Amino acid sequence: MEENYILQNLLRQKIIAIVRGVRKEQIQKTADAIIKGGISCLEIAIDHTSPESVEQTYEMIRCLKETFAAGICLGAGTVLSGQEVKACVEAGAEYIISPNKNPDVIRKTKEAGKISIPGALTPTEMTEAWEAGADIVKLFPAGILGLDYIKAVRGPLKHIPVSAVGGVTPGNCRDFIEAGCCSIGVGGNLVDLKKIELGDYDSLTKTALDYVRNLQRQIRM
């Protein structure tokens, strides 16, 4: 998909589901449940436990791309090197998310014509990531830093789109948007591995719906 279209889609939908720790045989049902709940932007996080688990992550990205095609806005997460960027893009990832601000990862992502979302904690890291070519900067861990921190950082850095990740729940997700974040990333609070093991995919759909409904409600005055 066109780079600008993907970016606008991410900014419009405002929610990225972070899929981490899900086995290959569970990935299609997991993605289907989340999409049914109204969230079509999914980040498949690389499992760096072993070379085999890294390869399995690429396979899952490829599988979802083939299965859901235009019905999914698919990204790769925990991308730590330029080599991993290349492999994720070849598998079908449209955006690359990292826990840190690796200039090589950002550069390789932009060279591939994809959306770059590196992680940052401080105003210095956020600025450096933006100047390196990031499209959105992931503020992590947002829940621990708190809304006051986000509001303070956003003051002088309003020109940098920030996504809040970490500790974002259905109950507080709207607060992060009101604090100035352009989007949120949600992991374990949505992609509940215990529910997946039990085959309770309906619970994932319900939680996804809760996130979407709470984000869509009228902003408090």
Side-chain angles (χ1 to χ4, degrees):
M1 293 185 190
E2 186 180 343
E3 185 177 349
N4 187 60
Y5 174 83
I6 295 297
L7 179 58
Q8 293 307 312
N9 195 23
L10 292 170
L11 295 175
R12 181 175 63 255
Q13 296 202 39
K14 296 190 181 305
I15 311 175
I16 298 175
I18 303 168
V19 181
R20 184 188 305 278
V22 175
R23 298 199 307 272
K24 185 180 177 182
E25 59 267 27
Q26 302 166 328
I27 193 66
Q28 287 194 38
K29 288 184 178 180
T30 299
D32 186 56
I34 295 169
I35 292 170
K36 284 180 179 176
I39 300 174
S40 61
C41 296
L42 275 69
E43 166 196 340
I44 312 305
I46 296 178
D47 180 356
H48 289 95
T49 304
S50 68
E52 291 75 22
S53 62
V54 172
E55 288 298 326
Q56 277 205 341
T57 306
Y58 303 149
E59 291 174 15
M60 286 191 284
I61 294 172
R62 190 173 295 107
C63 172
L64 293 182
K65 192 69 175 179
E66 293 173 352
T67 302
F68 295 96
I72 193 171
C73 184
L74 191 59
T78 320
V79 181
L80 302 179
S81 69
Q83 181 179 357
E84 289 181 355
V85 170
K86 183 175 184 294
C88 289
V89 169
E90 289 177 348
E94 298 289 350
Y95 50 96
I96 302 296
I97 302 178
S98 301
N100 58 343
K101 57 168 194 63
N102 184 326
D104 186 50
V105 169
I106 298 172
R107 182 171 57 254
K108 290 294 197 309
T109 300
K110 299 314 298 177
E111 288 175 355
K114 304 303 178 182
I115 301 302
S116 172
I117 311 178
L121 178 67
T122 67
T124 298
E125 291 176 346
M126 291 170 62
T127 303
E128 289 176 349
W130 180 250
E131 291 175 348
D135 296 283
I136 298 172
V137 175
K138 179 178 80 172
L139 189 61
F140 176 82
I144 294 175
L145 294 169
L147 296 172
D148 288 340
Y149 178 84
I150 292 172
K151 291 175 182 177
V153 169
R154 292 291 297 147
L157 299 178
K158 282 188 173 66
H159 61 291
I160 301 177
V162 171
S163 180
V165 179
V168 182
T169 69
N172 68 19
C173 61
R174 182 76 241 182
D175 297 332
F176 288 100
I177 300 300
E178 292 177 348
C181 295
C182 68
S183 63
I184 58 171
V186 293
N189 288 319
L190 169 61
V191 188
D192 189 323
L193 297 182
K194 291 182 179 178
K195 296 288 179 60
I196 293 172
E197 285 297 325
L198 292 171
D200 185 8
Y201 293 99
D202 288 343
S203 290
L204 273 66
T205 300
K206 181 181 180 300
T207 303
L209 284 167
D210 288 341
Y211 274 103
V212 172
R213 287 167 181 161
N214 287 339
L215 277 186
Q216 290 178 342
R217 68 181 168 81
Q218 186 175 0
I219 297 176
R220 296 188 301 272
M221 300 303 292

